[in-house]
Amino acid sequence: MILLGEKDIFIEINRLLEDQGMDLRINDMDELTDFLEEYEADESEASEVYEEIRELYDQLLMGAGMW
């Protein structure tokens, strides 16, 4: 796993969303938490990238020093 800084993680999250054609940008932890809560059990297009975004969220929570 490549270690990313907080800014890099949000850039990657937004790239994943853009690649899915979603008109959504996530810029902070509150927005990220809201996204994860909203799409956790969703079967929409977001579910395809949910797991990848969840892993990035976990990395933000734990901090790069934990990896």
Side-chain angles (χ1 to χ4, degrees):
M1 172 177 276
I2 298 172
L3 299 179
L4 302 173
E6 184 173 334
K7 180 180 177 182
D8 296 321
I9 289 173
F10 284 107
I11 290 170
E12 179 66 10
I13 288 169
N14 287 313
R15 185 194 63 77
L16 290 167
L17 293 171
E18 184 178 330
D19 287 352
Q20 286 297 311
M22 297 184 72
D23 187 24
L24 174 66
R25 291 197 54 82
I26 297 175
N27 299 304
D28 60 36
M29 285 298 286
D30 288 337
E31 291 175 356
L32 180 53
T33 302
D34 290 345
F35 171 84
L36 292 171
E37 288 173 358
E38 181 175 344
Y39 289 100
E40 183 173 20
D42 197 342
E43 297 298 324
S44 73
E45 63 204 38
S47 65
E48 296 178 27
V49 296
Y50 173 85
E51 287 302 321
E52 292 177 73
I53 292 174
R54 180 66 195 206
E55 288 177 15
L56 292 167
Y57 171 78
D58 290 342
Q59 187 173 342
L60 275 172
L61 285 182
M62 308 259 315
M66 297 296 291
W67 296 94

